[in-house]
Amino acid sequence: MNLKTSFAIFAISVATTDAWLPTHRNPVRPVSTSLRSTQAPASGTYTLDGDEIRGPITPVGNFMLVKVKDTLTATSGGILLPDQSKERPTEGLVVAAGPGKIHPFTAVRIHNPIKEGMSVLYGKFDGKSVTYNEDSCQIIRDDDCLLYYEGVTMKLDNVFPVRDYVLIELDEDPDTLATSSGVVIANQVMADSLPCEGKVVKVGEGRMASNGKLTKPQVKVGDRVKFKDYAGNEVKIEGKEYTVVKMVDILGHLDEESEG
C-alpha cells in the first residue's frame, strides 16, 4: 500500500492543529485529537511507507493503525520472553483508532470499542501492512479483532472478547487427545477431530444492530456449548489453550442429558 491509497483510510493531520486533508473527493470531518497518534517519532518527522507526511495519522471509520508486537510470555521469575509460535493470531498495540463506521442505511454510528493504547488480538492474515515512522504496522478494522486488553501481557482477567465473540475453554488438552481405547496420540494426527465443545469463560458485549443498540448475547459465563467445526480461533492465555468463537457459530448449549 502506497501513500496515495492510504488516503482512503487515514486523514493525515498536524497534531498541534485541526488541519485535515480530504479523503478522495469526500471531505473528512476533523476528529478529536484523542484519537490521533500524537507521539512524535525520534526524528521529529512523520513518515508513511517511506514518504514524509504532515503529521500523525487519524484513521477514519472503523479502521485502526496497529503496531505489530512480539507475543510475550512470562516465566515464573517474571521475565518476559517472545513467543515463537506462528500458528496463533497476531497481537498488536493500537497506535490510533477511528471512532467507528456509519451504518449505510440508518446513518447510525457503530462505535468502535477499541481505543488508542489498548492491545488487540487479530487474525494473522487480516489487514494491510504499512510502515509508519519506521515501525511495522497493520491497518485493520475493528471487526478483524478477536480480543482486546490493557497491560503488558494478555491475562484471563484483563482480556475482553470484541462484540459478539465468545472466549471458550476447550474440554480436551489441545496438545494430546485420547482415543476411545485410551491411546494418547499427537494433536496433528487428530486434525479432523479437534474439540468443538467447551465452557464459556468470557462473553463480548454483543453485536451492535443498525439502530445502534446492542443485541443480547445468547450465552453466559459458565455455559457449556458446542460450536461449528473449524469455527474457533485458538489462543493461549497464561499458558492455557482457549478458542474464540463468534456467537453465530455456537450451535447450542450442552446440559447433562445432551452430554450423555
Side-chain angles (χ1 to χ4, degrees):
M1 176 179 293
N2 55 33
L3 183 60
K4 182 177 180 181
T5 57
S6 296
F7 283 140
I9 298 174
F10 294 117
I12 312 296
S13 56
V14 181
T16 56
T17 70
D18 282 330
W20 52 278
L21 295 180
T23 302
H24 292 301
R25 296 182 179 180
N26 298 322
V28 178
R29 297 178 61 186
V31 182
S32 170
T33 54
S34 63
L35 297 176
R36 294 173 180 162
S37 173
T38 56
Q39 184 176 3
S43 63
T45 302
Y46 294 89
T47 60
L48 182 63
D49 287 337
D51 295 319
E52 184 176 342
I53 56 178
R54 294 171 55 190
I57 59 180
T58 299
V60 299
N62 64 335
F63 283 103
M64 298 184 294
L65 179 67
V66 175
K67 180 180 177 181
V68 180
K69 65 177 183 179
D70 290 333
T71 303
L72 301 177
T73 55
T75 66
S76 58
I79 300 175
L80 297 176
L81 301 174
D83 194 327
Q84 300 300 318
S85 174
K86 302 299 182 182
E87 299 303 319
R88 300 207 315 276
T90 305
E91 284 189 61
L93 177 67
V94 178
V95 177
K101 63 183 177 182
I102 302 294
H103 193 277
F105 301 115
T106 63
V108 173
R109 171 85 65 185
I110 308 299
H111 83 278
N112 182 2
I114 303 168
K115 307 302 179 186
E116 178 182 334
M118 292 181 175
S119 294
V120 294
L121 194 74
Y122 58 95
K124 63 179 179 179
F125 298 115
D126 291 331
K128 297 287 185 180
S129 299
V130 296
T131 302
Y132 178 57
N133 297 336
E134 301 182 357
D135 289 327
S136 175
C137 298
Q138 290 284 117
I139 300 170
I140 62 174
R141 298 177 186 269
D142 57 1
D143 292 330
D144 297 326
C145 296
L146 308 172
L147 304 169
Y148 65 92
Y149 64 95
E150 295 186 75
V152 178
T153 57
M154 181 168 52
K155 300 179 181 179
L156 192 59
D157 61 353
N158 72 351
V159 70
F160 298 95
V162 177
R163 292 203 175 98
D164 59 339
Y165 276 106
V166 178
L167 183 64
I168 298 174
E169 179 182 345
L170 298 174
D171 284 349
E172 286 88 1
D173 184 341
D175 295 324
T176 58
L177 295 172
T179 65
S180 58
S181 62
V183 178
V184 177
I185 60 178
N187 189 26
Q188 289 81 356
V189 179
M190 296 290 289
D192 294 331
S193 302
L194 293 177
C196 55
E197 299 176 6
K199 183 178 71 173
V200 175
V201 294
K202 286 287 183 80
V203 180
E205 61 182 353
R207 192 73 178 174
M208 186 170 288
S210 59
N211 60 2
K213 296 182 179 180
L214 293 171
T215 58
K216 184 179 179 180
Q218 300 180 43
V219 298
K220 63 183 184 299
V221 174
D223 287 348
R224 292 200 66 253
V225 296
K226 184 176 181 64
F227 52 90
K228 293 180 180 178
D229 294 341
Y230 309 106
N233 297 272
E234 294 183 4
V235 297
K236 182 179 286 186
I237 303 176
E238 297 181 287
K240 191 170 185 178
E241 293 287 346
Y242 298 85
T243 190
V244 186
V245 181
K246 270 188 171 292
M247 189 75 66
V248 294
D249 291 324
I250 295 178
L251 302 176
H253 297 79
L254 296 177
D255 52 28
E256 293 182 0
E257 293 183 0
S258 63
E259 290 176 26

